[in-house]
Amino acid sequence: MHNNLIYLTDHRGKVDATQLSDIEWARLVADNRDSTRRRLVKCAWCWDEDDVTHWMKTYSRNNGARVISHQPGESADHPYQALESDEHKAYCDRVERVGVAEGFRARREARADDGRTRSDVLLVGARHVSYEMQHSPFKQGYGAKERTRRSLAAKRDAVAWHTDSSIIADGARVAMLRSNPARLPQIENPRYQLRILGGYRKVLVWDCTVREGHRCPKGRYAGCGATHVDAQPSAITLDDFIRQAPAGLVLPVQPLDRLGFWTTTQDYEIWVDHFGEASRPGGSGAEPRRQSEQQADGHSRRTAAKDHAPVVPQQRTDRPQAVTNIPDELIKLERSAEDARGKLVGLDGEAYAGQWKAWRTAAEEFQAAVTEYAARRDVSMSRPEVEQAAKKAVRHPEPDS
């Protein structure tokens, strides 16, 4: 149904006509038979957006479909739009408040030039991020994938879908953030942490050997000796995500795929470098399957014997140089960033915000130094390899021989 949002002047206020019962709809059609004189039903879209009153016609087709239309020559029909609940409004208010406090521009119900593409909140920083909160199931033909495509075509850099329902997240068919369920007082409380439980991941890179402790995607119990890249769930709060996304510090990987996710800038570069351009926003390829979907627990005796045989990794010339070849300056900068991140534990409020900015500054200095070092002609490693080597030196130092 188009024009589904209407204002009823009989004290019912703004309603979604698709949610009316058959009896309520039949009574509305009868009461609104002479719509311009009765003045019972007016277009909520025209009133909210332009402060213009258009009295709507209401009737049913022969097949029983409900129709709400403008008077001839008044205005074009509007696409279906869900009625905003109190929780939906509170989430958008919170996103707008956090974004503005961080220095971004925030626009509610921002519409593109085509008039059809809107954002619950459009956050404008280094990137244009369209925030979309979804509380109810998607309508047929107006799902998350179609709306994401239109939003990206309308020159949005990214669409940040968010829900607190696991059912909606599983059926969204796009990369979607899922937070813990919260009641209205918790959403409105700026000190309450809305934690992201799904849709935000950390990228892992490892050499497939027994020592690394990861299960081989190919089912080799002793490891296959290859280098693998995968992702695992990571932690972030909704407020921190809003502080980082418009600044380009977190990016979506394969946003039009249900198994897509958001990750940090450095992890995004590693993922795209490994899996190719199809992982970028608007990419046409499908994301590689997760490790858990590739595991095979059953093997023949011959295969099992082969899999348990130790595998000696082949020496590769394109792997990172030894950690000792990483400049001390990079290691110091990464250690400083890790120390700043570790101090976030236990903080809250203004103390957390101040330490978070200190951590972000230290992380940006490290990333800039990595980029500068990897660009040198005498360095054969790629930028992701330099970064991973520096982080390994700080987070997993080798024991003294």
Side-chain angles (χ1 to χ4, degrees):
M1 174 191 288
H2 296 293
N3 311 312
N4 64 298
L5 292 187
I6 55 178
Y7 277 107
L8 300 179
T9 58
D10 58 358
H11 306 293
R12 278 186 282 178
K14 188 175 182 179
V15 300
D16 185 346
T18 62
Q19 303 302 318
L20 297 176
S21 67
D22 292 339
I23 296 176
E24 290 173 326
W25 172 254
R27 185 180 296 119
L28 179 65
V29 170
D31 291 344
N32 192 49
R33 192 170 302 279
D34 189 354
S35 56
T36 55
R37 178 174 295 183
R38 179 68 174 83
R39 295 189 175 186
L40 172 63
V41 182
K42 68 178 179 179
C43 178
W45 190 306
C46 293
W47 178 252
D48 289 340
E49 293 298 312
D50 304 316
D51 292 330
V52 174
T53 297
H54 285 156
W55 299 110
M56 308 294 284
K57 296 187 296 181
T58 54
Y59 58 95
S60 297
R61 300 188 189 276
N62 293 333
N63 60 3
R66 302 177 182 183
V67 179
I68 301 176
S69 65
H70 287 81
Q71 306 297 332
E74 271 190 351
S75 177
D77 285 334
H78 310 297
Y80 176 88
Q81 183 181 9
L83 181 63
E84 186 178 46
S85 65
D86 291 338
E87 289 79 9
H88 185 282
K89 184 177 183 298
Y91 273 115
C92 294
D93 288 342
R94 180 164 184 153
V95 169
E96 181 181 16
R97 181 176 64 250
V98 172
V100 170
E102 193 64 19
F104 307 129
R105 288 190 293 116
R107 292 165 47 201
R108 295 288 290 271
E109 296 293 327
R111 302 186 187 279
D113 295 337
D114 60 7
R116 300 180 61 203
T117 306
R118 68 174 182 84
S119 305
D120 287 339
V121 183
L122 180 63
L123 299 165
V124 181
R127 296 169 59 84
H128 289 59
V129 176
S130 174
Y131 171 82
E132 300 283 357
M133 179 63 200
Q134 191 68 24
H135 265 292
S136 58
F138 292 97
K139 291 292 181 180
Q140 186 71 24
Y142 196 63
K145 182 167 288 189
E146 293 82 1
R147 292 165 62 183
T148 300
R149 283 199 183 99
R150 288 204 296 263
S151 190
L152 293 175
K155 299 182 179 180
R156 311 291 202 243
D157 291 310
V159 181
W161 284 99
H162 171 221
T163 185
D164 55 9
S165 167
S166 59
I167 297 176
I168 294 176
D170 291 341
R173 302 300 177 188
V174 297
M176 177 170 279
L177 300 169
R178 180 174 63 86
S179 64
N180 52 306
R183 297 185 297 273
L184 184 61
Q186 295 170 321
I187 303 171
E188 295 176 332
N189 183 3
R191 297 180 64 85
Y192 181 80
Q193 297 295 326
L194 295 166
R195 301 192 179 277
I196 300 299
L197 305 178
Y200 183 81
R201 305 177 72 88
K202 177 181 180 181
V203 174
L204 301 176
V205 181
W206 77 94
D207 292 325
C208 191
T209 64
V210 177
R211 293 182 59 187
E212 291 292 333
H214 296 279
R215 294 187 67 183
C216 176
K218 298 180 180 180
R220 294 294 302 276
Y221 291 112
C224 65
T227 299
H228 298 301
V229 176
D230 198 12
Q232 68 178 17
S234 187
I236 194 173
T237 65
L238 177 63
D239 291 356
D240 281 348
F241 176 86
I242 296 303
R243 295 184 182 106
Q244 296 180 45
L249 299 178
V250 292
L251 298 171
V253 172
Q254 201 66 25
L256 289 173
D257 190 276
R258 186 177 66 85
L259 295 178
F261 58 92
W262 288 77
T263 189
T264 62
T265 305
Q266 51 267 35
D267 284 358
Y268 172 85
E269 292 176 354
I270 295 172
W271 189 274
V272 172
D273 182 65
H274 187 84
F275 291 113
E277 295 295 318
S279 301
R280 296 184 184 274
S284 58
E287 180 188 343
R289 298 171 61 192
R290 297 270 182 262
Q291 270 196 49
S292 59
E293 298 175 322
Q294 296 178 348
Q295 298 299 329
D297 294 328
H299 297 278
S300 65
R301 293 181 179 179
R302 180 180 299 177
T303 303
K306 178 182 177 182
D307 286 344
H308 282 82
V311 176
V312 179
Q314 298 180 354
Q315 295 296 326
R316 296 177 53 183
T317 59
D318 59 341
R319 296 303 301 148
Q321 302 175 25
V323 172
T324 54
N325 292 339
I326 297 299
D328 292 339
E329 182 63 23
L330 289 183
I331 296 177
K332 291 179 181 179
L333 290 174
E334 169 60 10
R335 184 174 289 115
S336 177
E338 279 295 289
D339 291 343
R341 185 166 67 95
K343 293 178 181 178
L344 289 170
V345 179
L347 299 181
D348 197 2
E350 294 182 0
Y352 180 89
Q355 184 58 34
W356 186 88
K357 290 182 178 179
W359 167 60
R360 187 176 73 172
T361 299
E364 289 174 347
E365 291 177 353
F366 169 70
Q367 293 296 329
V370 168
T371 301
E372 181 180 357
Y373 176 75
R376 288 169 41 179
R377 292 189 176 183
D378 59 336
V379 176
S380 60
M381 291 187 293
S382 66
R383 188 194 181 286
E385 290 173 338
V386 173
E387 180 180 346
Q388 290 300 311
K391 289 183 176 181
K392 184 176 181 181
V394 174
R395 303 177 187 181
H396 306 288
E398 295 183 356
D400 297 335
S401 57

